[in-house]
Amino acid sequence: MQALKKTISIQSNGTVQSTDIIDEHFQRLRRIAFWSCILSFAVDIILGTTALVNCIRTKSFVGFSYSVHTFMDCLCTSFVSWHLKGKTIDVVRHRDPLACCIIGALFVGSFLAIETRAIQSLISPPSVRPDLTVVMYSYVHIIVFTILSIIKMRISRQIQSVALKFDTINSFIGIIMVLPLIVWNRVVFINKFTYLDDLVQVLMALFLFLAGGKLILDSITLMNTEYARKLHDERVKRMLDDTDDGLVNIIQSHFIVGT
């Protein structure tokens, strides 16, 4: 007989939604999401290294912010993979807030790195345009991460994983960041504005900062609530144990007196 696990989630409008999820189905989705994260990690490493090496080869910062984002995405994906490595639903649920808190911190770190470089480029626009290498890894990134993001987003809704959801959002941000690199030399209007790529990086970095800050606050609040609940449960349990011991003593004293 398949085990059912009841999960309760609070919706944005304040209503409480209760759902049942089959453990076997949960485990299958968890494994798919886990291997999707592993594939994301591998592709991020390859593309990020390619972008960084190309920056060094061409002596330009075209694609540098993208390479920083991919490396940060690797770290995020690593903690999401650890979160999904839990063998039971309870373990995965327990690891979710901690993974979210770390991902939020990485979002803020990514914001600082990308924003600094992008603002500097806005002040002194780059003279070098994206070459064939930049266009090639940009296309690969869009194709691979669009597919993986759709898979991970659908699974995150079914298993109610906030960490996986924000990792998917991070992947979507990476897709947006490479779009200017593809169309830069192919659209006359964009070609007139050498700062467009950096402007997109600034906006995406600001979004990362806001999302990361909210994720940290929500995660800490959730962990504090869970910790307070555990303390309350332990206090109630001790009170019940003390009450039971008191009743046993009263009963024993009654029988001793009665004899």
Side-chain angles (χ1 to χ4, degrees):
M1 183 176 179
Q2 295 178 331
L4 292 178
K5 183 70 176 182
K6 183 176 289 292
T7 58
I8 298 175
S9 60
I10 301 177
Q11 305 302 309
S12 57
N13 57 4
T15 60
V16 178
Q17 180 181 12
S18 178
T19 58
D20 291 328
I21 184 169
I22 301 176
D23 184 73
E24 181 180 346
H25 181 59
F26 177 88
Q27 295 298 338
R28 182 167 61 252
L29 293 175
R30 181 189 64 81
R31 285 190 294 268
I32 295 174
F34 175 78
W35 286 109
S36 297
C37 289
I38 295 298
L39 181 58
S40 298
F41 180 88
V43 175
D44 267 330
I45 286 291
I46 295 173
L47 297 182
T49 303
T50 302
L52 184 60
V53 171
N54 192 62
C55 287
I56 297 173
R57 180 183 64 84
T58 59
K59 297 181 180 180
S60 71
F61 283 97
V62 176
F64 179 78
S65 296
Y66 165 77
S67 65
V68 172
H69 180 268
T70 55
F71 291 137
M72 287 292 184
D73 193 29
C74 286
L75 294 176
C76 292
T77 306
S78 300
F79 286 102
V80 175
S81 300
W82 165 79
H83 150 64
L84 295 170
K85 194 66 175 176
K87 298 299 182 182
T88 64
I89 297 178
D90 290 334
V91 173
V92 174
R93 297 271 190 265
H94 178 71
R95 291 180 177 182
D96 193 38
L98 180 58
C100 287
C101 190
I102 297 174
I103 291 173
L106 290 173
F107 276 15
V108 175
S110 183
F111 155 78
L112 294 174
I114 295 174
E115 197 80 356
T116 302
R117 179 60 246 171
I119 291 176
Q120 183 178 354
S121 295
L122 283 173
I123 297 174
S124 56
S127 57
V128 180
R129 296 292 181 272
D131 56 8
L132 182 60
T133 303
V134 176
V135 174
M136 287 179 62
Y137 71 65
S138 298
Y139 274 120
V140 172
H141 182 98
I142 290 175
I143 295 172
V144 173
F145 279 94
T146 298
I147 297 173
L148 292 176
S149 296
I150 293 173
I151 295 173
K152 291 191 291 185
M153 181 60 74
R154 294 189 64 179
I155 294 177
S156 69
R157 292 177 179 175
Q158 295 185 55
I159 67 176
Q160 298 181 357
S161 171
V162 180
L164 183 60
K165 174 184 176 182
F166 274 87
D167 179 62
T168 307
I169 292 174
N170 196 32
S171 297
F172 279 125
I173 291 175
I175 294 173
I176 296 174
M177 290 177 69
V178 299
L179 287 177
L181 299 178
I182 292 178
V183 300
W184 200 341
N185 278 339
R186 286 155 181 77
V187 179
V188 177
F189 171 76
I190 295 177
N191 193 35
K192 295 179 181 179
F193 298 91
T194 57
Y195 55 78
L196 180 65
D197 174 50
D198 298 305
L199 181 60
V200 172
Q201 315 306 328
V202 169
L203 295 177
M204 291 300 100
L206 287 173
F207 179 81
L208 283 174
F209 176 75
L210 296 175
K214 184 178 185 304
L215 198 54
I216 292 173
L217 292 176
D218 291 346
S219 302
I220 292 177
T221 302
L222 183 60
M223 287 188 289
N224 286 339
T225 303
E226 182 66 18
Y227 180 69
R229 185 188 64 80
K230 288 183 178 180
L231 289 179
H232 175 73
D233 291 344
E234 291 177 359
R235 189 180 301 111
V236 171
K237 184 179 179 181
R238 285 197 301 267
M239 291 175 60
L240 292 175
D241 291 339
D242 293 340
T243 303
D244 292 340
D245 292 340
L247 290 175
V248 170
N249 292 331
I250 291 173
I251 293 172
Q252 288 177 347
S253 300
H254 175 72
F255 278 109
I256 292 175
V257 173
T259 57

